Amino acid sequence: MTRVLFVCTGNVHRSVLAERLLAARLPSGSAVRPESAGTEARPWSGMESSTRAVLEKLGGDGSGFAARPLTAQLVAGAALVLGLAIEHREAAVRLAPSAMRRCFTLKEFVRLAVGGVGEVRGGEAGGEGAATAHDGVPDGESPRVVDGFDVVVAAVAGRRGAAAPVSPVEDDVADPWGRPHSVLYGCAREIDGAVSTLARLLGGGASV
């Protein structure tokens, strides 16, 4: 399995929505496994009711969720780490500096990837890939990827320094915590648009 880890603060709204909406948008048989964690999360089982309501309205599955805190092991074991805001990307890098080139915000990754993944896939990614991140990756070791996943991520990382800068707020998804339901739903729609694009960019990963 190729792990894609979404990170927010409490692992209550944003990263939960990203995890479950990406799972809903990936094709059947995809080897990409969306996961999530929070920089200040407390472990607990079950999804917050308002999160589950908007998730299910958009076609996601709210069952079997458990919040968990972000750890260095989770970052190191993910093929791609996507913060919902810049602070979450930076927190992941602090925990596992060697994973820096695999750490982005969700909107940053999509923004950088949209213009160039087709070129990458048409060339280098057409050959043999290297590994998909498997469940047995030892703590602290980089995950392996296959089917061009690593090529796509590396290409986006290389584009990060060359792309025109944007305002930091453009790469963040605002926290809906404590705000009206309409704000949470708007947040979910924004995330859904980004992860739907992400699912197409990643091509579903390897089939299982």
Side-chain angles (χ1 to χ4, degrees), residues 34 42 68 96 138 154:
R42 297 180 180 180
R68 59 182 179 174

Side-chain angles (χ1 to χ4, degrees), residues 22-171:
L22 177 58
R25 305 305 176 229
L26 288 167
S28 176
S30 171
V32 174
R33 188 172 82 183
E35 300 181 344
S36 66
T39 57
E40 298 178 16
R42 297 180 180 180
W44 63 286
S45 296
M47 190 175 293
E48 202 274 338
S49 60
S50 62
T51 304
R52 185 163 186 163
V54 297
L55 171 66
E56 293 181 345
K57 186 172 184 178
L58 293 172
D61 181 5
S63 64
F65 177 77
R68 59 182 179 174
L70 183 68
T71 65
Q73 289 74 25
L74 287 174
V75 176
L80 180 61
V81 180
L82 298 173
L84 274 295
I86 292 172
E87 64 187 278
H88 307 127
R89 180 194 68 196
E90 293 176 345
V93 172
R94 285 195 298 271
L95 285 170
S98 64
M100 181 174 65
R101 288 181 63 82
R102 305 195 308 275
C103 296
F104 307 82
T105 73
L106 169 61
K107 290 173 68 175
E108 174 192 22
F109 186 86
V110 170
R111 172 174 60 81
L112 294 173
V114 163
V117 166
E119 297 174 9
V120 173
R121 287 194 173 279
E124 190 175 354
E128 293 185 14
T132 292
H134 293 284
D135 293 344
V137 175
D139 291 348
E141 288 191 16
S142 297
R144 298 171 297 168
V145 291
V146 292
D147 281 0
F149 193 105
D150 57 337
V151 178
V152 173
V153 174
V156 176
R159 210 167 287 122
R160 181 155 44 189
V166 301
S167 168
V169 71
E170 291 188 35
D171 281 339

